[in-house]
Structure formats: C-alpha cells, structure tokens
Amino acid sequence: MLPFRRGMATMASLKKASKVVCIGRNYADHIKELSSARPKQPFFFLKPPTCVLLPGEGPVIRPRGVDLHYEVELALIIGKQVKDLDAADEKAAMDAVESYALSIDMTARNIQNEAKKKGLPWDIAKGFDTFLPMSKIIEKSAIPEPHNIELYLTVNNEVRQNDSTNLMLFQIPRMLSDISKVMTLEKGDIVITGTPKGVGPVVPGDIMRAGIKIDGKELEEAKIEVG
Amino acid sequence: MLPFRRGMATMASLKKASKVVCIGRNYADHIKELSSARPKQPFFFLKPPTCVLLPGEGPVIRPRGVDLHYEVELALIIGKQVKDLDAADEKAAMDAVESYALSIDMTARNIQNEAKKKGLPWDIAKGFDTFLPMSKIIEKSAIPEPHNIELYLTVNNEVRQNDSTNLMLFQIPRMLSDISKVMTLEKGDIVITGTPKGVGPVVPGDIMRAGIKIDGKELEEAKIEVG
Ligand SMILES: [Mg+2]
Ligand SMILES: [Mg+2]
Ligand SMILES: [Mg+2]
C-alpha cells in the first residue's frame, strides 16, 4: 500500500470522483490522424465516473456494434477546489494537482464519428461503463516533470502509441485554467490530458498494456494491463 | 422539513450526485423551434454536478459573451442502481425513481450552436457553474402520473414555456433503459427529461419562475424562482 495521507485520493475514491474532465485534441499528430481541426483553445468533455476501471477489474466491455478505440492519456488527480484559475499562475495549477495516474480513454469511434457528423454530444461515445481503465495512483513526486514523460500503449505487445507529453499543445496550467473558468474543479476530480498519435481499434481478446517512462525508465505504478 | 427517510436524497445530496444525465430533443415542438433533427432513439449528455443551483443560491451566472437560454425540465432523482434496464419493464423503471424535482437546463446557446457546427462536444455549453437551477425535492407520491403534468416557465412574469409532459417523445422507462445500457445509473443520480417548446434567452436582471401544475393545481415544492 502506498502511504497516502488522510484525505488523499485512493484507488476506491477514484470511482467517487465528482467528475472526469477530458481534454480533446491536445497532440498535433493525433489531430492529423483523425483529420480533425486544430483547436485554438483547449476543449473538453465529461466521462461519467462509472467509466473508471481499476487495476484488476477488466476487461473493458465492448458494446455490440461498437468500433472500440484506445487513447492513452496522463490523468491528473485534483487535490483542491479550483475556480477561475489564472493560466499564467503555473504554481497554483501545479499545486492543485495532488497525484497522477495513467488512463486509457476508451472511445466508441463509430458512435463518436456519427455524433460529430450530426452535431450531437459525445457523451454516449465516451461514456460506456468500463471506458476508463486506470493505473494505480502515482505519487506526485514520482513525476517531477509531467510535460516531459513518455506515454506508451501496446496491443498484444505491438507498440501503437509512444510519445512524449512534451508534444502537448496546451499544458496543464492552461488546461486547468480553461476548465475551471467553466466548471469548478473539486478535490478528487480526474482530468485526462489528451492522447498522442497512434489511436486504433481493439477487439475482444486483445490485451492492452500501457505505461509511462521517465528518462527511459519504466514507472512501475503507472502500468496498465487490461483486456 | 420534508420527512425523508434515511438514505433518501436531500437538497444537499443533489450536489453530490455522481452524475447528471440530460435527455436531448424529447419534445417535437422544441425540436422544430431549434431546427433540429428528430432523434430515432433518446440521446443524452452530461452536466457536471457543479451545475446544481439549489433554491436560494441564485443567480445563474451568465459568462461573458454567452447567449444564455433556459429549458424547463422535469428531473428524476434515482433511488437505486440501474443497469441494462429492459425498456418494457415499466415497473422496474418507475421503481428506480425515488423522487422528482423541477429543473432548468441552462444552456450557452451560442457555444452549443458552434459546437454542433464543428462536431464538438456539448459539455462546455451545458456545463458552467450554476447552469442547473433546481426546485426542492418533490416526493414521488406528489406526482402519480409523471407523463401527465404541466411544466411552465415565465421570464419577468411572461409565460415562455407551458406544456404537458404527455408530449414527450420518449417516456421515462425508455429513457432509463437507454441510459442504463450505456452508463450504470447510481443512487442519487439526476436525470433531466428534456424541454418543451418556448426556450429563449435571459439577461442579467431577468427573473425566471418555473413550476409544475397537476390538473391545473400548482405544486408548491416544484416552484423555482431565480435571477
Ligand atoms: Mg481522449
Ligand atoms: Mg460524487
Ligand atoms: Mg435540455
């Protein structure tokens, strides 16, 4: 067991997050691969907390008729209420981050594509039960430079995603600022920060493995392995 | 104080809902007024629980540059976990409803219209703090026929919305079935059921009043008055 202080997020508390806020299109090469427009400002959407899938709780459920895609993303666990944050106040933004996790933003890509075409909300495409596999909680001190770590995801041991968070278009202070000017972030909320290029489909039986490397070294608690 | 049994929803617990699920386009005349397509099945989106504005907590905050619209809607407070509900099982659906409330689904219409055009999520347009004014909790027994009550909303005492819930395209069992096949509903979750025609803008200083009439009689606990 990690030595969490009283009141800090625990694996069980992740499912009780009051919201999960997801940044879209935050890596240029991922925007290209989905033929999307590059946003002038961060945009975001919600996943319901019922998406959270803790280590050992898999597999991800693939609803019938769904083209299920993975998107590996760094998750921030928020440690205090954040409202109207100034984007220039990097210290306040980073102080609001209590810990990290790795996550996979599972997406029903065919449903999302249809929603985009019709101008409908994304919440169904993004919101099925089990659509957010997460790693263990990563203590903040284990990631001193969140904008300079490597995220990877393999499917059946083939590398599909592998990029540095230094490719983010909008960094953590800007994200938290923009979100908090719309919706107050609460302690325990989860923010997922967008996915690098390489997203693609998985089918039942496929095994996804994801992780974080820092200076080439694997971060043990960031590992996800899920069917 | 209403005599809530232990474990039942309270005003304070509404803000701790694990999710707020919102049905879109559920009244034909409202679909017409927004020039929207009529859905073949219910669709839905999320508002963050930070939207909830309890009686006396107003006003609704109008973010700069936002064309702020009201949408009066009947809210369901869910009393038990609901997963993969059969749409034909009306009894199970109605058993899952613990109580009701009236609500106003505040919407940044210009942001929503832009999102629709660009195929982007609705969560920002729908998700600003204070964007879900609610009435007191209405005991279930006070609304024996939820598909046959009158919802109304006035702005500065002019009637803007006034229609019966018998105009809903999809009724409660179908809504809860469709939602619960995507995301498990949890005790305390809030489901808002769509708005009748007559939506429109409000500006600072306007007073919205909304309520429910049953057989022409005002339901006191359903009243909302908010700036
Ligand atoms: Mg994503
Ligand atoms: Mg909660
Ligand atoms: Mg609405």
Side-chain angles (χ1 to χ4, degrees):
Chain A
M1 279 254 292
L2 292 170
F4 290 115
R5 287 199 302 275
R6 206 199 316 261
M8 291 192 75
T10 62
M11 297 311 297
S13 72
L14 293 179
K15 297 202 170 201
K16 306 213 165 178
S18 75
K19 56 189 170 294
V20 180
V21 186
C22 316
I23 302 287
R25 300 184 194 162
N26 203 23
Y27 288 79
D29 287 341
H30 170 60
I31 295 169
K32 241 185 276 172
E33 75 185 349
L34 291 189
S35 306
S36 299
R38 186 173 173 138
K40 288 195 198 72
Q41 59 201 41
F43 76 84
F44 48 93
F45 56 89
L46 300 167
K47 287 173 97 94
T50 31
C51 285
V52 172
L53 190 73
L54 298 178
E57 287 187 335
V60 173
I61 296 162
R62 190 177 78 141
R64 208 157 20 133
V66 155
D67 179 23
L68 183 64
H69 272 215
Y70 53 79
E71 301 185 349
V72 70
E73 311 199 9
L74 178 66
L76 319 175
I77 319 293
I78 301 299
K80 54 168 79 159
Q81 199 181 64
V82 187
K83 197 178 158 67
D84 291 328
L85 183 78
D86 178 356
D89 193 346
E90 288 183 30
K91 184 177 178 316
M94 296 314 301
D95 280 354
V97 176
E98 179 182 292
S99 50
Y100 299 96
L102 193 62
S103 66
I104 309 177
D105 174 18
M106 300 305 301
T107 304
R109 192 70 74 202
N110 53 334
I111 297 179
Q112 187 197 29
N113 286 339
E114 205 188 323
K116 285 181 187 175
K117 227 183 305 175
K118 295 186 174 167
L120 291 175
W122 293 16
D123 307 68
I124 295 175
K126 292 286 191 175
F128 286 88
D129 286 354
T130 76
F131 266 29
L132 189 64
M134 295 187 74
S135 72
K136 289 181 185 163
I137 291 174
I138 303 164
E139 283 189 85
K140 195 172 179 181
S141 58
I143 304 186
E145 295 181 73
H147 301 110
N148 187 28
I149 62 175
E150 203 181 312
L151 311 181
Y152 72 84
L153 182 141
T154 68
V155 178
N156 304 331
N157 293 320
E158 277 182 30
V159 178
R160 300 290 177 86
Q161 297 192 276
N162 190 15
D163 264 317
S164 170
T165 54
N166 68 21
L167 295 173
M168 284 183 181
L169 298 178
F170 301 106
Q171 293 194 325
I172 294 167
R174 177 67 193 276
M175 288 178 214
L176 296 189
S177 171
D178 276 44
I179 295 168
S180 75
K181 286 171 179 169
V182 174
M183 46 187 82
T184 299
L185 285 163
E186 305 284 358
K187 183 173 163 57
D189 283 358
I190 299 168
V191 175
I192 66 172
T193 57
T195 194
K197 69 178 182 298
V199 303
V202 276
V203 296
D206 284 347
I207 302 292
M208 294 177 276
R209 290 189 180 84
I212 291 174
K213 288 181 186 169
I214 300 180
D215 295 328
K217 233 189 105 203
E218 183 88 36
L219 194 61
E220 280 308 315
E221 58 271 40
K223 282 186 174 175
I224 297 176
E225 178 176 328
V226 68
Chain B
M1 277 257 291
L2 293 170
F4 288 116
R5 288 198 303 276
R6 204 202 317 261
M8 291 189 79
T10 61
M11 297 311 297
S13 73
L14 293 180
K15 297 203 172 201
K16 308 214 164 175
S18 76
K19 56 188 170 294
V20 180
V21 186
C22 316
I23 303 288
R25 300 186 194 161
N26 203 24
Y27 287 80
D29 287 340
H30 169 61
I31 295 169
K32 241 185 274 173
E33 75 185 350
L34 291 190
S35 306
S36 298
R38 185 173 175 138
K40 288 196 199 73
Q41 60 202 40
F43 77 82
F44 48 91
F45 56 89
L46 300 167
K47 286 173 99 93
T50 31
C51 284
V52 172
L53 190 74
L54 298 178
E57 288 187 336
V60 172
I61 297 162
R62 191 177 77 141
R64 209 159 19 137
V66 156
D67 179 23
L68 184 63
H69 272 215
Y70 53 80
E71 302 185 347
V72 69
E73 311 200 10
L74 177 67
L76 318 176
I77 319 294
I78 301 300
K80 54 167 79 158
Q81 199 182 65
V82 188
K83 199 178 156 69
D84 290 329
L85 183 77
D86 178 356
D89 193 346
E90 289 182 31
K91 184 177 177 315
M94 296 314 300
D95 281 353
V97 176
E98 179 181 291
S99 50
Y100 299 96
L102 193 63
S103 66
I104 309 177
D105 174 18
M106 300 305 302
T107 304
R109 190 72 73 202
N110 53 335
I111 297 179
Q112 187 197 30
N113 286 339
E114 204 188 325
K116 284 181 185 175
K117 225 183 305 173
K118 295 185 174 167
L120 291 175
W122 293 16
D123 307 69
I124 295 175
K126 292 286 190 175
F128 286 88
D129 286 355
T130 77
F131 266 29
L132 190 64
M134 295 187 74
S135 72
K136 289 181 184 162
I137 291 174
I138 303 165
E139 283 191 85
K140 195 173 180 181
S141 59
I143 304 186
E145 294 181 74
H147 300 110
N148 187 28
I149 62 175
E150 205 181 310
L151 311 181
Y152 72 84
L153 181 141
T154 68
V155 178
N156 303 332
N157 293 320
E158 277 182 28
V159 178
R160 299 290 177 85
Q161 298 192 275
N162 189 15
D163 265 317
S164 170
T165 54
N166 69 20
L167 295 173
M168 284 182 181
L169 298 178
F170 301 106
Q171 293 194 324
I172 295 168
R174 177 67 192 277
M175 289 178 213
L176 297 190
S177 170
D178 276 43
I179 294 168
S180 75
K181 286 172 180 169
V182 174
M183 46 186 84
T184 299
L185 286 163
E186 304 284 358
K187 184 172 164 55
D189 283 358
I190 298 167
V191 175
I192 67 172
T193 57
T195 194
K197 68 177 181 299
V199 303
V202 277
V203 297
D206 284 348
I207 302 293
M208 293 177 276
R209 290 187 180 85
I212 291 174
K213 287 181 184 166
I214 301 181
D215 295 328
K217 233 190 103 205
E218 184 89 35
L219 194 61
E220 279 308 315
E221 58 270 41
K223 281 185 175 176
I224 297 175
E225 177 177 330
V226 68

